[in-house]
Every structure is written in C-alpha cells, then in structure tokens.
Amino acid sequence: MAIQLGRCIVVVSLLVLISPLCMGGGYLFPQFYDKSCPKAKEIVQSIVAQAVAKEARMAASLLRLHFHDCFVKGCDASVLLDSSMNIISEKGSVPNKNSLRGFEVIDEIKAALERACPQTVSCADIVTLAARDSTVLAGGPYWEVPLGRRDSLGASISGSNRMIPAPNDTLPTIITKFKLQHLDLVDLVALSGGHTIGLSRCTSFRQRLYNQTGNGLADNTLEESFAAKLRWGCPRSGGDNNLFPLDKVSPTKFDNLYYKNILYGTGLLSSDQILFTKSPDTMALVKLYAENNEIFLEHFAKSMVKMGNISPLTGYEGQVRKNCSL
C-alpha cells in the first residue's frame, strides 16, 4: 500500500514499514510498474526461480550482486556495465574480479522484460528484485521492494575497490563503510547475515589460517578443528578458487545458523567473526539473532529495504538501459 504525504510516499507492508521515499526527481514505490509493465515482478521471480533451481548457489550470488552494486555510487546497476571507451568496468575490481556472479541471470531477465515492456524496467530494479526473490527462494523473508530506480551512465572501479567491505577489514573500517551509506550497526550485523547462504573462495580467508596478524600464526578466534578442516582444502599457496560454505551447517538455507556458527568460533571470514569478538554492541546483536531467527529475518528485511534505497537515480536522472551491460 502506498500513502502519499505531500511529496513523499510511505509504503506499508505486513513485514516492513518503509520510511518516506522521496528521491531527486521522483519516488520509489512497489507499484511503480503496475501500469507500465504489470507482469514485471512475475517475470523476474520466474527467471530467478529457474536459475536457483538449476544452481542453489545462485541465490547467494544474486544477493551479493545487489550489495556490490549499492555500495558503489548507489543502487544504479553500475556494477553490470562492461568496459568501453568511456567506462572502466567495476567487474574488474578486487572485490568483484573472478568472484561476482549472476550477470547472465540478470541479462536473461532483462531480455524477457524488453520483450514484454520495451525500455521500461531498469536494470537497477531488476537487480533489487532478484535479490529479494533469491532470499525468499532460499527460505528467507519477503519484503516489498520500492521500485523506480534508473540506471547509471557510468561506473566507478575506484569506488568498488574502496567502498565495498572486505573480508579482512577491521571492524572500525567496516563500520565506517556502512556509515558512509547511512547504514548503522543493526544494518551491518543484520546484512552480514546474508552470509547464511553461499560460498567463499580460499583467498578470502587464507590469512586467518596461517598469518592473521603478521606473526605467522592462525587467528586465535577460529575454532581449532574447524581451522584444520579449512587448511586441508585451503593450503598456504595454490587453491585460491577452492570454495567453502559461508555457513557450514546450512549453506543453502536462509536462517540464523550463521550467527550460531560465529558464537562457536566457526564463522568463515574474519569480517564475520569480528562481529562477535571486537565490539560489545555487535556481539549483542550476534547473540540476539542467534537466539531469535524471527528477529533476524525481520531486521534483515528492513535493512535490505534501507540498503536498496542508497542514492537511487529517479525521475529523469540516468537512463533505462536496453542492455544491462552496455
């Protein structure tokens, strides 16, 4: 339901109360395509469902694609652009190279939407909807997605290298990167719960196994038997692209076991485990979510809406691309 208050719109759903979404030149609201492309959400959901049925990991990949888009220049599909005469693609950045996935699914969705409603639905909205649908398919919460984003005209590889939280960042650095996006500690810990699904490469956590602080020793917050299993598949050298589940218990199910793993020292990434070891405030949230799956899912949904509203282009800003990579 959308309620107009002056120049703002308040969107209300059973799960999430969305603050007024007044953006430069236009609004974001769930019904944005109801008249111009009434089957848009159905088309996105159908293709995402097919992709996840084919490969369960794709749910996590599409969710991560949304994160990596929004943290650079806002949620504007800049991450999808290929390099050209005037653009250096974000796909080549340190966080994204040989790592970010799901582009072919977005392309398939875009092609279907162009057949149904030419040059109407933005790539930015496709990425945002696909992240929500992926979460639901993995057993996570549903939330209404405010729509009406437009696509960027450019990309920022420097922003991608600088703004996206890294697995070995310190907690103060991660907090700062979230604050720059107007996301608070609750958002940080709740959105980190996206790591309840998906896989990570050896290169993202090798430092924890062999040389966490430069002294040649493993991270002492990593549970020893878990560390031994990881070393078996992630040697000191080689095996960079060997994959490991971010949640060792239920890697394809969206639940709160990610937080329970952290309590027992079996969080995979340093950026996961430090939520419990480096701050009493984030530790309290980890404990809360580990104890109460419903609260985690509720907070995750709210934080996803909040993240999805980072600096969108609206109205006559940007463009609606015919091809998401061009």
Side-chain angles (χ1 to χ4, degrees):
M1 177 172 64
I3 307 169
Q4 187 158 352
L5 300 175
R7 295 189 67 247
C8 299
I9 285 185
V10 177
V11 183
V12 182
S13 79
L14 293 176
L15 288 177
V16 182
L17 175 62
I18 304 171
S19 299
L21 306 175
C22 297
M23 311 299 172
Y27 300 130
L28 298 184
F29 55 102
Q31 299 82 10
F32 188 86
Y33 297 112
D34 281 6
K35 291 184 179 179
S36 60
C37 193
K39 292 190 175 181
K41 296 175 189 176
E42 178 184 331
I43 290 170
V44 174
Q45 197 280 334
S46 175
I47 294 174
V48 170
Q50 292 171 34
V52 172
K54 184 177 180 181
E55 182 193 14
R57 182 189 175 197
M58 188 54 67
S61 298
L62 291 171
L63 180 58
R64 184 167 181 253
L65 190 61
H66 183 41
F67 275 67
H68 284 221
D69 181 38
C70 291
F71 267 74
V72 184
K73 296 173 77 275
C75 307
D76 61 1
S78 63
V79 73
L80 304 179
L81 287 169
D82 287 337
S83 292
S84 65
M85 290 288 291
N86 302 313
I87 294 171
I88 301 176
S89 174
E90 293 170 20
K91 295 176 182 178
S93 71
V94 172
N96 296 339
K97 188 176 182 180
N98 300 321
S99 176
L100 208 58
R101 308 170 71 248
F103 299 108
E104 70 282 359
V105 178
I106 300 301
D107 288 342
E108 184 179 350
I109 294 168
K110 181 60 174 174
L113 286 168
E114 284 299 303
R115 290 191 294 271
C117 323
Q119 214 163 353
T120 300
V121 181
S122 70
C123 301
D125 278 342
I126 291 171
V127 171
T128 309
L129 284 167
R132 190 275 310 276
D133 292 341
S134 294
T135 301
V136 173
L137 287 163
Y142 177 92
W143 63 91
E144 292 280 8
V145 176
L147 299 167
R149 298 166 192 78
R150 286 169 65 86
D151 301 325
S152 71
L153 298 169
S156 176
I157 190 170
S158 63
S160 184
N161 282 321
R162 188 177 67 254
M163 302 299 290
I164 296 172
N168 291 313
D169 278 348
T170 64
L171 185 57
T173 296
I174 295 171
I175 290 172
T176 297
K177 289 181 177 181
F178 272 72
K179 281 185 176 178
L180 288 171
Q181 309 298 346
H182 305 289
L183 299 172
D184 58 27
L185 280 184
V186 172
D187 300 317
L188 191 167
V189 181
L191 291 173
S192 294
H195 286 173
T196 185
I197 55 175
L199 305 172
S200 180
R201 296 186 301 159
C202 170
T203 50
S204 296
F205 60 87
R206 175 183 281 128
Q207 180 178 326
R208 295 192 74 199
L209 302 179
Y210 302 104
N211 194 25
Q212 176 67 358
T213 60
N215 60 3
L217 299 176
D219 183 347
N220 61 13
T221 67
L222 187 61
E223 197 274 325
E224 289 185 9
S225 63
F226 182 54
K229 290 178 181 178
L230 294 176
R231 289 190 194 96
W232 185 82
C234 184
R236 285 181 181 273
S237 61
D240 287 2
N241 293 320
N242 291 350
L243 296 172
F244 296 78
L246 286 158
D247 173 353
K248 69 185 184 67
V249 181
S250 56
T252 61
K253 183 179 179 183
F254 202 98
D255 56 28
N256 67 338
L257 289 179
Y258 160 82
Y259 298 101
K260 294 183 179 182
N261 293 336
I262 292 175
L263 294 182
Y264 293 109
T266 56
L268 184 64
L269 305 180
S270 174
S271 56
D272 296 327
Q273 198 62 47
I274 60 177
L275 297 176
F276 187 68
T277 60
K278 296 297 185 180
S279 161
D281 294 326
T282 56
M283 175 192 284
L285 287 164
V286 169
K287 288 181 176 179
L288 174 65
Y289 298 153
E291 293 167 0
N292 195 316
N293 189 54
E294 288 186 7
I295 291 178
F296 160 53
L297 297 181
E298 178 187 344
H299 285 191
F300 183 84
K302 289 180 179 179
S303 293
M304 284 296 290
V305 172
K306 194 172 173 183
M307 186 185 75
N309 295 328
I310 296 173
S311 305
L313 301 172
T314 60
Y316 295 102
E317 299 172 321
Q319 62 180 327
V320 174
R321 298 182 205 140
K322 293 180 180 180
N323 183 318
C324 290
S325 63
L326 303 177

